[in-house]
């Protein structure tokens, strides 16, 4: 996907200095708004950081949020590498949650965990991929723009789920639009439980084994995108479609497959949330995880290491932001959404904004 | 008959902000700049308008504040898309996210009501206006009903919107600016060669788009609900985008698209819990989803073909 103005900086500076400056710009604007609403930005930043990383419990929650963001970040990045902007992560994660829920509600009292959990994961991947397949297919074969289609698919997913949860999946006799609690067989073990089994005591948090899967997924993503035949095709299509076609790559097949992989990755966000934490599905379980993925991928520049770091940043922002909102009632969790928007603006739309300034510095050094 | 009138009456109310936003999107997209930030611009406008109207007790100052807030976001989008050649989709996404984050934060800090603004009193809101002789004619069958029940009794913003539609249509198809607008959206290089400043045209298009979104947002908060409510646009910006595509980027068909979606919405509220013959109860979600499904089908070419302006989404880099 083509971005803004080209950069002439060395690659390492492009990958470190520019995102850091962009992040700083986003934080400065946030600081200004914080000051405007009558709070001390510096104090708030300290509260935020200590809320996210200052205690074992805080770190646990931070890493739990990070897990979902890594998956949706990888999802958006996969599509980006093929030149596609997948805004539909939210809807894909939502539908993946449906897949998980259907499997759990059908089998959680009959199948053992070792069969049930993988089955749920497959269902999540399948449903997520299927929901991404349609926009992918429409883009590749019918020429409809993926961005508009995925936006529309988010709304369609939302209406569909509202209907399904409200009319069919709702727990009998319940007023809240949620399903019944999943049977224990479908719970993915939390990290503190696993650690307790090995004799290590950790504070109890929703951080679960999905986190390990997220790290594995990052490794796989790296190998797939940069060291496989398919990854080469993917990136070629992303850089220049006509060149790819000329080289004998099936562009439409690559696009469709990229979207399916993207949707399947988004699906893991539902696994993390439903099987790892809430153990029941409600109407708002995705809570914007798909949208955060966009910011994560943009800031991480579509590289797994960058994605882990920026997912950690957003995980920290989410957890620290919640802690901060307890301390400072005037600062709500929407502040985090605002920061997220600024990061999308500075790291995505204006990614090389500070490039001329930095390039000037580099040039002077070379001249000496 | 009464039923039908009230149905059409609410169609007009629901359609007004959609029409304004769709026309805003048309300006932007006809100039070649994708605008998925309609939602965000409407949202900040709704907030700024309600906040200003509450403080100043004047709906008109509210409208002004709404327009200013929306235009400033539009100018951010213009800077990214035109001056910086950045990614327009990402910029639009950022605008939506920023808007849904900043409005409740400021709302809570300024008014301490959970991110909403306080209910506006009667003086600070736009009101329904009775057209002349509406009362006198209300008993005349058909025409009188039509006039007094349907045409009369809307906000000034509704009548303003009705006036805006032909104006926009004229601007796009008949004015000099419209010609340039369409040229820049279809082939910016040709327009550039002909001596048209692509950047200038795009900035102006986005500016007017911002103004229209500002009016749309103000309509929601200062007229319809009488206060700003968190996330009150609730996808209306995307619905307007859908209508714009549905109208194939042309003003009048886009307005018709808005009316159609608004009609479906008004109908859905009346069908809630009603048993229809053969199909039984229609879940409200099934009707809500119609515009989105239609847009997908249209974009895929299954119902006609939606042809976007050719240069849409592509930053213009002057050839040397």
């Amino acid at each position: 996907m083509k971005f803004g103005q080209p950069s002439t900086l060395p690659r390492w500076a492009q990958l470190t200095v520019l995102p850091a400056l962009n992040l700083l710009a986003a934080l400065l604007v946030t600081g200004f708004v914080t000051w405007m609403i009558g709070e001390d930005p510096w104090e708030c930043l300290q509260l935020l950081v200590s809320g996210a990383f200052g205690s074992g419990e805080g770190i646990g929650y931070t890493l739990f949020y990070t897990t979902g963001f890594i998956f949706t970040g990888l999802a958006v990045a996969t599509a980006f590498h093929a030149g596609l902007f997948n805004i539909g992560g939210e809807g894909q994660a939502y539908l993946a949650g449906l897949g998980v829920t259907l499997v759990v509600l059908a089998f959680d009292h009959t199948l053992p965990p070792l069969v049930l959990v993988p089955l749920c994961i497959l269902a999540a991947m399948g449903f997520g991929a299927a929901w991404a397949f349609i926009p992918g297919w429409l883009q590749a074969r019918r020429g409809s723009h993926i961005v508009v289609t995925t936006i529309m698919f988010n709304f369609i997913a939302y209406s569909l789920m509202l209907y399904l949860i409200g009319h069919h999946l709702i727990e009998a006799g319940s007023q809240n639009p949620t399903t019944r609690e999943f049977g224990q067989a479908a719970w993915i073990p939390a990290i503190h439980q696993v650690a307790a089994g090995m004799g290590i005591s950790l504070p109890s948090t929703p951080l679960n084994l999905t986190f390990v899967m997220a790290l594995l997924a990052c490794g796989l993503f790296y190998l797939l995108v940069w060291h496989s035949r398919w990854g080469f095709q993917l990136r070629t299509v992303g850089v220049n479609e006509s060149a790819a076609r000329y080289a004998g790559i099936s562009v439409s097949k690559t696009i469709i497959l990229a979207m399916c992989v993207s949707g399947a990755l988004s699906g893991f966000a539902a696994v993390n949330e439903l099987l790892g934490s809430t153990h029941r599905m409600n109407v708002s379980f995705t809570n914007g995880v798909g949208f955060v993925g966009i910011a994560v991928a943009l800031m991480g520049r579509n590289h797994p290491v960058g994605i882990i770091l920026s997912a950690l940043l957003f995980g920290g922002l989410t957890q620290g932001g919640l802690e901060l909102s307890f301390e400072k009632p005037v600062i709500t969790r929407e502040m985090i959404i605002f920061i997220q928007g600024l990061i999308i603006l500075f790291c995505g739309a204006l990614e090389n904004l500070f490039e001329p300034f930095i390039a000037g510095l580099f040039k002077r050094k070379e001249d000496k | 008959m009464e039923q039908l009138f009230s149905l059409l009456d609410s169609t007009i109310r629901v359609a007004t902000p959609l029409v304004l936003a769709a026309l805003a999107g048309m300006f932007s997209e006809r100039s070649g700049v994708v605008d998925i930030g309609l939602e965000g611009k409407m949202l900040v406008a709704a907030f700024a308008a309600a906040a200003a109207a509450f403080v100043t007790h004047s709906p008109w100052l509210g409208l002004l504040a709404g327009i200013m807030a929306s235009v400033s976001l539009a100018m951010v989008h213009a800077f990214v898309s035109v001056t910086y050649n950045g990614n327009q989709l990402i910029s639009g996404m950022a605008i939506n996210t920023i808007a849904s984050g900043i409005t409740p934060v400021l709302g809570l800090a300024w008014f301490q009501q959970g991110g909403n603004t306080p209910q506006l009193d009667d003086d600070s809101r736009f009101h329904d206006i009775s057209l002349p002789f509406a009362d006198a004619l209300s008993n005349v069958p058909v025409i009188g009903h039509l006039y007094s029940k349907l045409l009369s009794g809307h906000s000034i913003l509704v009548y303003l919107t009705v006036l805006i539609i032909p104006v926009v249509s004229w601007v796009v198809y008949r004015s000099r600016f419209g010609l340039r607008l369409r040229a820049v959206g279809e082939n910016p290089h040709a327009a550039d060669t002909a001596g048209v400043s692509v950047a200038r045209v795009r900035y102006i298009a986005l500016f007017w788009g911002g103004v229209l979104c500002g009016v749309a947002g103000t309509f929601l908060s200062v007229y319809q609900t009488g206060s700003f409510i968190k996330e009150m646009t609730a996808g209306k910006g995307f619905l307007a985008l859908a209508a714009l595509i549905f109208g194939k980027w042309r003003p009048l068909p886009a307005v018709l698209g808005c009316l159609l979606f608004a009609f479906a919405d008004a109908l859905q509220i009346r069908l809630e819990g009603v048993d229809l013959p053969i199909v039984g109860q229609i879940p409200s979600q099934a009707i809500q989803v119609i515009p989105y499904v239609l847009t997908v089908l249209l974009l895929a070419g299954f119902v006609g073909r939606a042809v976007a302006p050719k240069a849409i989404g592509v930053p213009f880099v002057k050839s040397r």
Side-chain angles (χ1 to χ4, degrees):
Chain A
M1 175 160 273
K2 242 170 119 182
F3 285 123
Q5 283 162 352
S7 172
T8 52
L9 291 181
R11 207 177 129 72
W12 67 266
Q14 229 185 89
L15 291 179
T16 53
V17 181
L18 288 181
L21 281 176
N22 289 330
L23 180 64
L24 197 68
L27 288 182
L28 275 178
V29 178
T30 314
F32 176 71
V33 170
T34 314
W35 171 79
M36 223 167 64
I37 60 177
E39 291 291 339
D40 177 5
W42 186 242
E43 188 198 347
C44 288
L45 186 65
Q46 282 172 329
L47 280 171
L48 193 131
V49 173
S50 71
F53 300 103
S55 64
E57 206 181 352
I59 294 173
Y61 274 94
T62 295
L63 290 179
F64 167 70
Y65 295 123
T66 305
T67 308
F69 297 157
I70 288 179
F71 279 118
T72 50
L74 289 177
V76 175
T78 310
F80 263 137
H81 279 295
L84 305 163
F85 188 17
N86 177 15
I87 300 193
E90 187 77 6
Q92 289 144 21
Y94 217 170
L95 259 285
L98 177 65
V100 169
T101 307
L102 291 179
V103 170
V104 174
L105 294 185
F107 299 116
D108 60 347
H109 295 309
T110 47
L111 290 179
L114 278 179
V115 182
L116 182 61
V117 171
L119 202 61
C120 286
I121 292 176
L122 282 180
M125 292 171 72
F127 273 66
W131 200 246
F133 166 81
I134 312 169
W137 184 85
L138 289 174
Q139 156 107 17
R141 295 285 155 81
R142 312 285 313 189
S144 47
H145 201 291
I146 201 108
V147 169
V148 183
T149 331
T150 47
I151 290 175
M152 300 300 151
F153 264 62
N154 281 341
F155 284 106
I156 298 173
Y158 185 68
S159 293
L160 180 70
M161 295 297 276
L162 222 53
Y163 170 72
L164 286 177
I165 297 175
H167 290 79
H168 297 289
L169 298 173
I170 192 168
E171 184 175 15
S174 162
Q175 292 298 313
N176 296 327
T178 62
T179 61
R180 69 170 169 81
E181 192 174 44
F182 296 169
Q184 294 252 1
W187 296 17
I188 290 185
I191 295 281
H192 68 90
Q193 290 164 337
V194 178
M198 294 187 286
I200 310 164
S201 141
L202 290 177
S204 152
T205 61
L207 177 64
N208 59 82
L209 286 179
T210 317
F211 179 65
V212 182
M213 293 183 227
L215 296 180
L216 285 175
C218 284
L220 265 176
F221 178 89
Y222 177 75
L223 291 177
L224 196 66
V225 172
W226 280 281
H227 294 282
S228 80
R229 208 185 144 96
W230 183 70
F232 181 73
Q233 295 182 349
L234 184 78
R235 287 178 294 128
T236 313
V237 169
V239 175
N240 189 335
E241 254 184 47
S242 5
R245 196 168 286 121
Y246 187 66
I249 296 170
S250 166
V251 173
S252 51
K253 218 189 259 172
T254 312
I255 286 178
I256 294 173
L257 200 55
M259 281 304 287
C260 289
V261 172
S262 181
L265 282 166
S266 299
F268 276 93
V271 171
N272 181 45
E273 188 68 32
L274 296 180
L275 299 186
S277 167
T278 54
H279 306 305
R280 57 168 76 221
M281 184 171 72
N282 59 54
V283 275
S284 59
F285 79 89
T286 50
N287 205 6
V289 67
F291 295 119
V292 181
I294 296 169
V296 168
L298 289 172
M299 211 187 137
R301 301 225 166 179
N302 304 319
H303 191 281
V305 176
I307 286 172
I308 292 178
L309 291 176
S310 55
L312 189 64
L313 172 80
F314 274 101
L317 277 174
T318 308
Q319 164 59 14
L322 283 173
E323 291 288 321
L324 178 61
S325 64
F326 290 133
E327 296 275 333
K328 304 264 179 197
V330 73
I331 294 178
T332 50
R333 58 173 288 275
E334 279 90 359
M335 193 69 156
I336 304 306
I337 299 181
F338 176 58
I339 301 179
Q340 190 186 315
L342 289 172
I343 290 180
I344 295 179
L345 182 70
F346 283 109
C347 295
L350 294 169
E351 60 168 359
N352 293 332
L353 184 64
F354 301 106
E355 199 268 339
F357 170 67
I358 301 294
L361 289 181
F362 269 89
K363 207 151 185 296
R364 223 170 296 155
K365 224 163 79 185
E366 271 168 30
D367 288 347
K368 266 179 198 167
Chain B
M1 207 59 181
E2 280 292 303
Q3 284 265 317
L4 182 70
F5 275 135
S6 90
L7 189 63
L8 293 177
D9 193 65
S10 43
T11 301
I12 292 176
R13 278 163 213 274
V14 179
T16 302
L18 292 183
V19 167
L20 290 165
L23 293 177
M26 197 200 55
F27 267 121
S28 165
E29 303 219 332
R30 269 299 175 102
S31 81
V33 179
V34 180
D35 198 355
I36 59 170
L38 295 171
E39 178 89 1
K41 282 183 267 185
M42 274 163 81
L43 195 63
V44 285
F47 174 74
F54 177 75
V55 175
T56 62
H57 294 286
S58 157
W60 293 101
L61 287 176
L63 178 65
L64 186 69
I67 289 176
M68 274 163 52
S70 164
V71 165
S72 45
L73 274 192
M75 289 300 104
V76 171
H77 190 51
F79 174 75
V80 173
S81 329
V82 183
T83 307
Y84 179 77
N85 296 335
N87 189 308
Q88 302 165 6
L89 294 161
I90 294 174
S91 168
M93 190 70 211
I95 283 172
N96 289 336
T97 317
I98 287 174
S100 66
I102 191 77
T103 46
V105 167
L106 291 182
L108 185 72
W110 291 344
F111 304 106
Q112 284 92 33
Q113 298 200 354
N116 303 339
T117 64
Q119 189 69 29
L120 296 170
D121 56 32
D122 272 354
D123 298 342
S124 9
R125 274 178 81 161
F126 284 110
H127 286 284
D128 292 342
I129 314 175
S130 286
L131 294 182
F133 314 117
D135 276 343
L137 288 173
S138 65
N139 290 325
V140 180
V142 189
I143 300 174
H145 275 297
L146 202 68
Y147 182 74
S148 58
K149 294 264 162 57
L150 199 57
L151 296 182
S152 173
H154 289 288
S155 152
I156 181 95
L157 297 178
V158 173
Y159 300 115
L160 193 69
T161 308
V162 174
L163 285 180
I164 286 175
I165 299 167
V167 171
V168 168
S169 189
W170 182 84
V171 167
V172 170
Y173 288 120
R174 294 274 179 273
S175 75
R176 210 157 81 122
F177 173 73
L179 184 67
R180 293 180 168 178
L181 181 81
R182 285 176 291 139
V184 162
E186 294 294 333
N187 193 339
H189 290 278
D192 185 54
T193 314
V196 176
S197 163
V198 174
R200 205 178 122 89
V201 169
R202 288 187 173 170
Y203 261 96
I204 296 173
L206 284 167
F207 173 85
W208 286 111
V211 172
L212 290 176
C213 278
V215 182
T218 309
F219 179 88
L220 294 175
S221 64
V222 180
Y223 168 68
Q224 218 164 36
T225 53
S227 70
F228 173 82
I229 300 161
K230 258 197 268 189
E231 299 289 343
M232 71 185 303
T233 45
K236 287 193 179 60
F238 292 110
L239 208 56
L241 191 71
L244 177 66
I245 297 167
F246 198 69
K248 305 183 180 177
W249 289 269
R250 289 173 301 177
L252 291 181
V255 170
L256 285 181
C258 294
L259 286 171
L260 182 73
F261 294 168
F263 182 75
D265 191 77
L267 194 65
Q268 165 233 316
I269 295 164
R270 278 170 184 75
L271 288 181
E272 194 96 54
V274 178
D275 273 310
L276 294 178
I278 307 167
V279 283
Q281 283 190 17
I282 298 179
S284 60
Q285 290 89 1
I287 295 176
Q288 272 159 10
V289 90
I290 291 172
Y292 306 116
V293 174
L294 275 181
T295 308
V296 170
L297 292 177
L298 184 80
L299 279 170
F302 290 120
V303 263
R305 192 100 185 111
V307 182
K310 275 206 192 61
I312 201 164
V314 187
F316 171 68
V317 183
K318 212 171 155 85
S319 41
R320 280 178 256 275

